[in-house]
Short mmCIF file of all heavy atoms in Angstrom, two decimals:
data_model
loop_
_atom_site.label_atom_id
_atom_site.label_comp_id
_atom_site.label_asym_id
_atom_site.label_seq_id
_atom_site.Cartn_x
_atom_site.Cartn_y
_atom_site.Cartn_z
N ARG A 30 0.86 -1.21 -0.01
CA ARG A 30 -0.01 -0.05 -0.07
C ARG A 30 0.88 1.28 0.08
O ARG A 30 0.46 2.25 -0.65
CB ARG A 30 -0.95 -0.08 1.18
CG ARG A 30 -2.09 -1.03 1.12
CD ARG A 30 -3.15 -0.95 2.13
NE ARG A 30 -4.27 -1.65 1.71
CZ ARG A 30 -5.45 -1.61 2.35
NH1 ARG A 30 -5.66 -0.84 3.46
NH2 ARG A 30 -6.43 -2.30 1.94
N GLU A 31 2.02 1.19 0.68
CA GLU A 31 2.91 2.20 0.57
C GLU A 31 3.40 2.57 -0.86
O GLU A 31 3.52 3.63 -1.28
CB GLU A 31 4.09 2.10 1.47
CG GLU A 31 3.85 2.12 3.03
CD GLU A 31 5.12 1.92 3.78
OE1 GLU A 31 6.09 1.53 3.25
OE2 GLU A 31 4.99 2.09 5.09
N ILE A 32 3.64 1.40 -1.54
CA ILE A 32 4.12 1.45 -2.95
C ILE A 32 2.99 2.11 -3.83
O ILE A 32 3.32 2.89 -4.75
CB ILE A 32 4.50 0.13 -3.47
CG1 ILE A 32 5.86 -0.32 -2.79
CG2 ILE A 32 4.77 0.12 -4.91
CD1 ILE A 32 6.21 -1.73 -3.13
N VAL A 33 1.73 1.75 -3.56
CA VAL A 33 0.61 2.38 -4.23
C VAL A 33 0.61 3.82 -4.08
O VAL A 33 0.49 4.64 -5.13
CB VAL A 33 -0.68 1.63 -3.93
CG1 VAL A 33 -1.82 2.47 -4.56
CG2 VAL A 33 -0.62 0.15 -4.38
N VAL A 34 0.64 4.32 -2.81
CA VAL A 34 0.66 5.76 -2.58
C VAL A 34 1.81 6.40 -3.22
O VAL A 34 1.61 7.49 -3.89
CB VAL A 34 0.75 5.92 -1.01
CG1 VAL A 34 1.01 7.43 -0.76
CG2 VAL A 34 -0.41 5.45 -0.32
N ILE A 35 3.03 5.79 -3.28
CA ILE A 35 4.16 6.43 -3.92
C ILE A 35 4.01 6.41 -5.40
O ILE A 35 4.36 7.38 -6.04
CB ILE A 35 5.52 5.74 -3.49
CG1 ILE A 35 5.73 5.94 -2.01
CG2 ILE A 35 6.62 6.19 -4.30
CD1 ILE A 35 5.92 7.50 -1.67
N ALA A 36 3.41 5.40 -5.90
CA ALA A 36 3.15 5.30 -7.42
C ALA A 36 2.20 6.47 -7.86
O ALA A 36 2.47 7.08 -8.91
CB ALA A 36 2.52 3.97 -7.84
N ILE A 37 1.19 6.75 -7.08
CA ILE A 37 0.28 7.85 -7.44
C ILE A 37 1.06 9.21 -7.30
O ILE A 37 0.93 10.11 -8.12
CB ILE A 37 -0.98 7.87 -6.53
CG1 ILE A 37 -1.81 6.59 -6.77
CG2 ILE A 37 -1.78 9.08 -6.74
CD1 ILE A 37 -2.48 6.56 -8.12
N ALA A 38 1.78 9.31 -6.14
CA ALA A 38 2.51 10.58 -5.96
C ALA A 38 3.61 10.77 -7.02
O ALA A 38 3.75 11.86 -7.57
CB ALA A 38 3.18 10.53 -4.58
N SER A 39 4.22 9.71 -7.42
CA SER A 39 5.32 9.73 -8.46
C SER A 39 4.65 10.11 -9.73
O SER A 39 5.22 10.83 -10.62
CB SER A 39 6.01 8.37 -8.57
OG SER A 39 6.77 8.12 -7.35
N GLY A 40 3.41 9.58 -10.06
CA GLY A 40 2.72 9.88 -11.24
C GLY A 40 2.40 11.32 -11.42
O GLY A 40 2.67 12.02 -12.49
N PHE A 41 1.92 12.02 -10.32
CA PHE A 41 1.62 13.40 -10.33
C PHE A 41 3.02 14.20 -10.43
O PHE A 41 3.00 15.18 -11.18
CB PHE A 41 0.90 13.76 -9.05
CG PHE A 41 -0.59 13.58 -9.11
CD1 PHE A 41 -1.16 12.47 -8.43
CD2 PHE A 41 -1.35 14.25 -9.89
CE1 PHE A 41 -2.49 12.23 -8.48
CE2 PHE A 41 -2.74 14.11 -9.99
CZ PHE A 41 -3.31 13.03 -9.27
N LEU A 42 4.01 13.72 -9.77
CA LEU A 42 5.28 14.46 -9.88
C LEU A 42 5.93 14.38 -11.29
O LEU A 42 6.34 15.35 -11.77
CB LEU A 42 6.29 13.80 -8.86
CG LEU A 42 7.60 14.49 -8.81
CD1 LEU A 42 7.55 15.94 -8.37
CD2 LEU A 42 8.54 13.75 -7.75
N ALA A 43 5.69 13.19 -11.82
CA ALA A 43 6.23 13.00 -13.22
C ALA A 43 5.45 13.80 -14.22
O ALA A 43 6.01 14.48 -15.15
CB ALA A 43 6.10 11.54 -13.64
N LEU A 44 4.09 13.92 -13.93
CA LEU A 44 3.28 14.75 -14.94
C LEU A 44 3.71 16.16 -14.78
O LEU A 44 3.85 16.90 -15.75
CB LEU A 44 1.81 14.56 -14.55
CG LEU A 44 0.75 15.20 -15.42
CD1 LEU A 44 0.97 14.87 -16.83
CD2 LEU A 44 -0.65 15.01 -14.96
N ALA A 45 3.87 16.69 -13.56
CA ALA A 45 4.28 18.09 -13.33
C ALA A 45 5.66 18.34 -13.92
O ALA A 45 5.94 19.33 -14.56
CB ALA A 45 4.34 18.37 -11.80
N ALA A 46 6.62 17.41 -13.72
CA ALA A 46 7.99 17.55 -14.29
C ALA A 46 7.92 17.61 -15.73
O ALA A 46 8.66 18.26 -16.37
CB ALA A 46 8.87 16.41 -13.70
N GLY A 47 7.07 16.74 -16.31
CA GLY A 47 6.97 16.69 -17.83
C GLY A 47 6.45 18.09 -18.36
O GLY A 47 6.96 18.48 -19.36
N ARG A 48 5.47 18.62 -17.62
CA ARG A 48 4.91 19.85 -18.09
C ARG A 48 6.05 21.01 -17.95
O ARG A 48 6.18 21.83 -18.82
CB ARG A 48 3.72 20.17 -17.31
CG ARG A 48 2.59 19.27 -17.30
CD ARG A 48 1.74 19.48 -18.58
NE ARG A 48 0.58 18.73 -18.61
CZ ARG A 48 0.20 17.73 -19.28
NH1 ARG A 48 1.06 17.21 -20.17
NH2 ARG A 48 -0.92 17.17 -19.23
N LEU A 49 6.71 21.05 -16.81
CA LEU A 49 7.82 21.95 -16.60
C LEU A 49 8.87 21.80 -17.55
O LEU A 49 9.48 22.79 -18.17
CB LEU A 49 8.27 21.92 -15.23
CG LEU A 49 7.34 22.33 -14.07
CD1 LEU A 49 7.88 22.04 -12.69
CD2 LEU A 49 6.99 23.87 -14.16
N GLY A 50 9.28 20.57 -17.88
CA GLY A 50 10.24 20.32 -18.91
C GLY A 50 9.92 20.69 -20.20
O GLY A 50 10.76 21.34 -21.00
N ALA A 51 8.62 20.52 -20.66
CA ALA A 51 8.18 21.02 -21.88
C ALA A 51 8.14 22.49 -22.00
O ALA A 51 8.38 23.05 -23.11
CB ALA A 51 6.89 20.52 -22.25
N HIS A 52 8.08 23.22 -20.94
CA HIS A 52 7.97 24.61 -20.95
C HIS A 52 9.37 25.22 -20.83
O HIS A 52 9.54 26.29 -21.52
CB HIS A 52 7.05 25.06 -19.71
CG HIS A 52 6.90 26.56 -19.64
ND1 HIS A 52 6.08 27.19 -20.51
CD2 HIS A 52 7.53 27.54 -18.94
CE1 HIS A 52 6.05 28.52 -20.24
NE2 HIS A 52 6.88 28.70 -19.35
N TYR A 53 10.23 24.66 -20.08
CA TYR A 53 11.52 25.34 -19.79
C TYR A 53 12.71 24.86 -20.64
O TYR A 53 13.74 25.49 -20.78
CB TYR A 53 11.85 25.31 -18.31
CG TYR A 53 10.94 26.20 -17.41
CD1 TYR A 53 9.93 25.67 -16.67
CD2 TYR A 53 11.09 27.62 -17.52
CE1 TYR A 53 9.11 26.42 -15.84
CE2 TYR A 53 10.27 28.46 -16.74
CZ TYR A 53 9.26 27.78 -15.99
OH TYR A 53 8.39 28.57 -15.24
N LEU A 54 12.60 23.53 -21.04
CA LEU A 54 13.69 23.02 -21.89
C LEU A 54 13.57 23.61 -23.31
O LEU A 54 12.57 24.18 -23.64
CB LEU A 54 13.55 21.45 -21.88
CG LEU A 54 13.92 20.75 -20.61
CD1 LEU A 54 13.57 19.22 -20.82
CD2 LEU A 54 15.25 20.93 -20.18
N PRO A 55 14.68 23.54 -24.07
CA PRO A 55 14.57 24.07 -25.42
C PRO A 55 13.49 23.49 -26.20
O PRO A 55 13.16 22.33 -26.12
CB PRO A 55 15.92 23.62 -26.01
CG PRO A 55 16.93 23.59 -24.88
CD PRO A 55 16.07 23.02 -23.63
N PHE A 56 12.80 24.29 -26.89
CA PHE A 56 11.45 23.89 -27.53
C PHE A 56 11.84 22.95 -28.66
O PHE A 56 12.76 23.15 -29.48
CB PHE A 56 10.75 25.04 -28.12
CG PHE A 56 9.53 24.77 -28.87
CD1 PHE A 56 8.41 24.54 -28.13
CD2 PHE A 56 9.48 24.70 -30.20
CE1 PHE A 56 7.17 24.27 -28.76
CE2 PHE A 56 8.30 24.37 -30.90
CZ PHE A 56 7.19 24.12 -30.15
N ARG A 57 10.95 21.94 -28.80
CA ARG A 57 11.16 20.93 -29.86
C ARG A 57 9.92 20.79 -30.63
O ARG A 57 8.92 20.29 -29.94
CB ARG A 57 11.75 19.55 -29.34
CG ARG A 57 12.21 18.63 -30.46
CD ARG A 57 12.71 17.24 -29.83
NE ARG A 57 13.44 16.68 -30.85
CZ ARG A 57 13.90 15.34 -30.72
NH1 ARG A 57 13.55 14.63 -29.60
NH2 ARG A 57 14.58 14.79 -31.56
N LEU A 58 9.84 21.20 -31.84
CA LEU A 58 8.57 21.02 -32.55
C LEU A 58 8.15 19.58 -32.77
O LEU A 58 9.09 18.68 -33.12
CB LEU A 58 8.74 21.70 -33.89
CG LEU A 58 7.34 21.89 -34.77
CD1 LEU A 58 6.36 22.86 -34.11
CD2 LEU A 58 7.75 22.41 -36.12
N ARG A 59 6.92 19.19 -32.72
CA ARG A 59 6.51 17.85 -32.86
C ARG A 59 6.75 17.47 -34.29
O ARG A 59 6.60 18.26 -35.12
CB ARG A 59 5.12 17.68 -32.43
CG ARG A 59 4.87 17.91 -30.96
CD ARG A 59 3.39 17.84 -30.56
NE ARG A 59 3.23 18.21 -29.08
CZ ARG A 59 3.31 17.37 -28.12
NH1 ARG A 59 3.44 16.10 -28.36
NH2 ARG A 59 3.13 17.78 -26.87
N PRO A 60 7.06 16.18 -34.46
CA PRO A 60 7.34 15.67 -35.76
C PRO A 60 6.24 16.01 -36.91
O PRO A 60 6.47 16.25 -37.97
CB PRO A 60 7.57 14.15 -35.70
CG PRO A 60 7.92 14.07 -34.22
CD PRO A 60 7.23 15.06 -33.47
N MET A 61 4.94 15.89 -36.49
CA MET A 61 3.93 16.08 -37.42
C MET A 61 3.76 17.52 -37.90
O MET A 61 3.13 17.75 -38.85
CB MET A 61 2.52 15.63 -36.74
CG MET A 61 2.07 16.59 -35.54
SD MET A 61 0.70 15.85 -34.60
CE MET A 61 -0.50 15.73 -35.91
N TYR A 62 4.37 18.45 -37.25
CA TYR A 62 4.42 19.84 -37.68
C TYR A 62 5.77 20.26 -38.15
O TYR A 62 5.97 21.44 -38.67
CB TYR A 62 4.15 20.75 -36.41
CG TYR A 62 2.72 20.53 -35.90
CD1 TYR A 62 2.55 20.31 -34.53
CD2 TYR A 62 1.62 20.51 -36.74
CE1 TYR A 62 1.37 20.01 -34.04
CE2 TYR A 62 0.35 20.27 -36.23
CZ TYR A 62 0.22 20.01 -34.80
OH TYR A 62 -1.09 19.81 -34.30
N GLU A 63 6.78 19.36 -38.22
CA GLU A 63 8.04 19.67 -38.73
C GLU A 63 8.06 19.60 -40.29
O GLU A 63 7.73 18.48 -40.92
CB GLU A 63 9.08 18.62 -38.26
CG GLU A 63 10.52 18.90 -38.72
CD GLU A 63 11.15 20.12 -38.22
OE1 GLU A 63 11.04 20.53 -37.03
OE2 GLU A 63 11.51 20.97 -39.03
N PRO A 64 8.28 20.76 -40.99
CA PRO A 64 8.22 20.72 -42.48
C PRO A 64 8.94 19.57 -43.15
O PRO A 64 8.51 18.94 -44.13
CB PRO A 64 8.73 22.05 -42.86
CG PRO A 64 8.53 22.96 -41.63
CD PRO A 64 8.69 22.07 -40.47
N ALA A 65 10.15 19.31 -42.71
CA ALA A 65 10.92 18.27 -43.31
C ALA A 65 10.37 16.87 -43.12
O ALA A 65 10.69 15.93 -43.83
CB ALA A 65 12.38 18.28 -42.78
N LEU A 66 9.50 16.64 -42.14
CA LEU A 66 8.94 15.38 -41.80
C LEU A 66 7.40 15.23 -42.23
O LEU A 66 6.81 14.21 -42.06
CB LEU A 66 9.11 15.01 -40.41
CG LEU A 66 10.61 14.98 -39.86
CD1 LEU A 66 10.51 14.73 -38.39
CD2 LEU A 66 11.27 13.81 -40.60
N ARG A 67 6.90 16.44 -42.60
CA ARG A 67 5.41 16.45 -42.96
C ARG A 67 4.91 15.31 -43.77
O ARG A 67 3.84 14.76 -43.68
CB ARG A 67 4.99 17.77 -43.40
CG ARG A 67 3.45 17.91 -43.49
CD ARG A 67 3.11 19.33 -44.02
NE ARG A 67 3.42 20.31 -42.99
CZ ARG A 67 2.54 20.60 -41.96
NH1 ARG A 67 1.44 19.94 -41.93
NH2 ARG A 67 2.88 21.49 -41.07
N ALA A 68 5.66 14.92 -44.75
CA ALA A 68 5.32 14.03 -45.80
C ALA A 68 5.19 12.55 -45.26
O ALA A 68 4.52 11.71 -45.81
CB ALA A 68 6.34 13.91 -46.88
N PHE A 69 5.73 12.38 -44.12
CA PHE A 69 5.73 11.06 -43.47
C PHE A 69 4.33 10.79 -42.79
O PHE A 69 3.90 9.61 -42.49
CB PHE A 69 6.76 10.93 -42.40
CG PHE A 69 8.08 10.66 -42.91
CD1 PHE A 69 9.13 11.43 -42.51
CD2 PHE A 69 8.35 9.67 -43.96
CE1 PHE A 69 10.49 11.27 -43.06
CE2 PHE A 69 9.58 9.47 -44.46
CZ PHE A 69 10.65 10.37 -44.00
N PHE A 70 3.60 11.81 -42.43
CA PHE A 70 2.41 11.68 -41.62
C PHE A 70 1.15 12.06 -42.32
O PHE A 70 1.00 13.09 -43.04
CB PHE A 70 2.52 12.56 -40.36
CG PHE A 70 3.70 12.23 -39.53
CD1 PHE A 70 4.75 13.13 -39.54
CD2 PHE A 70 3.77 11.10 -38.80
CE1 PHE A 70 5.94 12.86 -38.75
CE2 PHE A 70 4.91 10.71 -38.15
CZ PHE A 70 5.97 11.62 -38.06
N PRO A 71 0.17 11.17 -42.23
CA PRO A 71 -1.24 11.49 -42.73
C PRO A 71 -1.84 12.56 -41.71
O PRO A 71 -1.28 12.86 -40.75
CB PRO A 71 -1.93 10.17 -42.69
CG PRO A 71 -1.24 9.50 -41.67
CD PRO A 71 0.16 9.83 -41.65
N GLN A 72 -2.91 13.00 -42.15
CA GLN A 72 -3.71 13.97 -41.29
C GLN A 72 -4.43 13.18 -40.16
O GLN A 72 -5.47 12.78 -40.21
CB GLN A 72 -4.72 14.78 -41.98
CG GLN A 72 -4.18 15.76 -42.96
CD GLN A 72 -3.24 16.79 -42.36
OE1 GLN A 72 -3.56 17.37 -41.34
NE2 GLN A 72 -2.05 17.04 -42.94
N ALA A 73 -3.59 12.91 -39.09
CA ALA A 73 -4.18 12.09 -38.03
C ALA A 73 -5.16 12.88 -37.21
O ALA A 73 -4.92 14.04 -36.84
CB ALA A 73 -3.01 11.63 -37.16
N MET A 74 -6.27 12.25 -36.87
CA MET A 74 -7.26 12.91 -36.03
C MET A 74 -6.95 12.69 -34.53
O MET A 74 -7.52 11.70 -33.88
CB MET A 74 -8.65 12.31 -36.39
CG MET A 74 -9.06 12.53 -37.82
SD MET A 74 -9.05 14.33 -38.21
CE MET A 74 -10.50 14.75 -37.18
N VAL A 75 -6.12 13.45 -34.03
CA VAL A 75 -5.66 13.30 -32.56
C VAL A 75 -6.33 14.38 -31.78
O VAL A 75 -6.03 15.52 -32.05
CB VAL A 75 -4.19 13.32 -32.43
CG1 VAL A 75 -3.81 13.12 -31.00
CG2 VAL A 75 -3.54 12.20 -33.29
N GLU A 76 -7.10 14.03 -30.77
CA GLU A 76 -7.86 15.05 -30.03
C GLU A 76 -7.19 15.59 -28.89
O GLU A 76 -7.45 15.28 -27.76
CB GLU A 76 -9.24 14.34 -29.56
CG GLU A 76 -10.13 13.85 -30.70
CD GLU A 76 -11.33 13.09 -30.21
OE1 GLU A 76 -11.50 12.95 -29.01
OE2 GLU A 76 -12.06 12.65 -31.01
N GLU A 77 -6.08 16.34 -29.21
CA GLU A 77 -5.26 16.85 -28.18
C GLU A 77 -5.00 18.38 -28.48
O GLU A 77 -4.54 18.73 -29.62
CB GLU A 77 -3.99 16.22 -28.01
CG GLU A 77 -4.20 14.81 -27.40
CD GLU A 77 -2.94 14.18 -26.81
OE1 GLU A 77 -2.18 15.02 -26.21
OE2 GLU A 77 -2.73 13.03 -26.90
#
């Protein structure tokens, strides 16, 4: 049960760290929007 509590806490910490990393680390454009890679991807219907 301690491990379950830590797993949940780690999940929230990881989510927060991921958001902060995406904001403060050097920006990296997603492949689907990268002009050099656009031909590789169809128009995917991703609801995000």
Side-chain angles (χ1 to χ4, degrees):
R30 289 191 168 189
E31 288 180 352
I32 291 174
V33 171
V34 171
I35 292 302
I37 295 292
S39 298
F41 279 105
L42 182 59
L44 185 59
R48 299 283 192 245
L49 291 173
H52 184 74
Y53 289 106
L54 291 175
F56 182 80
R57 192 181 199 189
L58 189 65
R59 293 177 187 268
M61 65 190 302
Y62 299 126
E63 182 63 53
L66 300 175
R67 183 177 293 275
F69 286 129
F70 301 107
Q72 293 297 318
M74 299 299 293
V75 180
E76 299 173 1
E77 295 199 34

